[in-house]
Amino acid sequence: DGGITQSPKYLFRKEGQNVTLSCEQNLNHDAMYWYRQDPGQGLRLIYYSQIVNDFQKGDIAEGYSVSREKKESFPLTVTSAQKNPTAFYLCASSIARGPYEQYFGPGTRLTVT
Amino acid sequence: SQQGEEDPQALSIQEGENATMNCSYKTSINNLQWYRQNSGRGLVHLILIRSNEREKHSGRLRVTLDTSKKSSSLLITASRAADTASYFCATDPAQGGSEKLVFGKGTKLTVNP
């Protein structure tokens, strides 16, 4: 089965801790994205990567970091500097950079208390 | 920043009725995409319409695009309870690098059996 996976589905952390969200795809896509979704809101872009070892900040990158060491993997770290980290996080991929259809993972709901 | 804005924010209809959702955007685009999101899940791509196209069909879905009015509509005909979901438009702005999509806040559709 080809697809994009995120783990875990639910994640709970104490304030002040860093946490890493996993995103893996076996679609052989070059581009990968991280979005944040708050209740009743649309998606806001955190980071995106068009190619291995390269990534760019999106609209709300502060308090987040990413890496792209392998084509298949694009983990997102939510650092203690992120002021309001509780949210639903979605990872997506597309075949290449550009206005292509994006394939989404099932999401990770992060709760920080 | 969000470019697409869906209208209405919420829509409740009876099974068998048609559902129409609208999306307005501010700047010129290369294409516009519609996505669906079931509660607590990732987004699923429905349809992409290019700026030089006026109408596209896919099964019970019909999308129109009016670039002079900077708006698009998504029509779901003969709705079913399973169509209950949030629907998002995503635009690919023509200005700047065409590297990312900009999502609206979505229309929450409820189809009552």
Side-chain angles (χ1 to χ4, degrees):
Chain A
D1 278 337
I4 183 164
T5 58
Q6 292 183 243
S7 61
K9 188 165 177 62
Y10 298 97
L11 194 52
F12 298 88
R13 280 293 182 270
K14 293 287 186 189
E15 200 173 311
Q17 293 179 334
N18 291 356
V19 60
T20 297
L21 281 59
S22 165
C23 177
E24 304 275 331
Q25 55 99 358
N26 61 3
L27 300 166
N28 200 33
H29 285 173
D30 282 328
M32 295 187 75
Y33 310 82
W34 273 105
Y35 294 94
R36 171 185 171 132
Q37 185 177 33
D38 293 285
Q41 300 294 311
L43 278 63
R44 291 186 289 170
L45 183 64
I46 305 172
Y47 268 98
Y48 62 103
S49 168
Q50 309 292 345
I51 197 169
V52 173
N53 292 324
D54 187 47
F55 47 83
Q56 285 79 42
K57 291 181 180 180
D59 300 318
I60 55 164
E62 187 176 344
Y64 299 98
S65 66
V66 293
S67 63
R68 186 89 187 272
E69 296 175 3
K70 297 187 298 181
K71 188 175 185 177
E72 302 81 20
S73 179
F74 191 41
L76 172 75
T77 296
V78 184
T79 75
S80 56
Q82 168 49 234
K83 290 183 172 44
N84 186 17
T86 294
F88 188 51
Y89 290 88
L90 287 159
C91 180
S93 69
S94 62
I95 192 164
R97 65 183 289 171
Y100 298 102
E101 169 186 352
Q102 291 188 12
Y103 293 76
F104 283 80
T108 292
R109 188 167 299 279
L110 172 65
T111 303
V112 177
T113 58
Chain B
S1 60
Q2 285 172 318
Q3 140 126 295
E5 190 129 347
E6 291 89 344
D7 167 59
Q9 290 185 348
L11 179 62
S12 182
I13 60 174
Q14 295 299 123
E15 213 166 19
E17 293 180 341
N18 294 344
T20 300
M21 289 158 269
N22 303 297
C23 171
S24 58
Y25 56 91
K26 297 182 181 122
T27 64
S28 297
I29 59 171
N30 293 314
N31 71 53
L32 186 145
Q33 302 182 34
W34 283 93
Y35 288 81
R36 165 198 168 119
Q37 183 182 33
N38 286 74
S39 183
R41 303 284 189 91
L43 277 70
V44 174
H45 181 264
L46 296 176
I47 202 162
L48 180 153
I49 186 164
R50 301 189 192 285
S51 60
N52 61 354
E53 297 175 309
R54 292 296 167 257
E55 189 170 311
K56 252 186 138 167
H57 295 255
S58 176
R60 293 182 297 112
L61 306 181
R62 173 179 166 243
V63 168
T64 61
L65 180 64
D66 186 335
T67 52
S68 66
K69 293 181 180 177
K70 292 187 171 58
S71 69
S72 172
S73 67
L74 169 67
L75 168 67
I76 304 174
T77 59
S79 65
R80 305 166 183 167
D83 294 327
T84 294
S86 290
Y87 292 82
F88 295 88
C89 67
T91 53
D92 160 41
Q95 279 134 7
S98 184
E99 296 175 338
K100 53 186 182 177
L101 296 177
V102 181
F103 287 83
K105 294 184 179 181
T107 291
K108 187 170 183 178
L109 173 66
T110 303
V111 181
N112 301 298

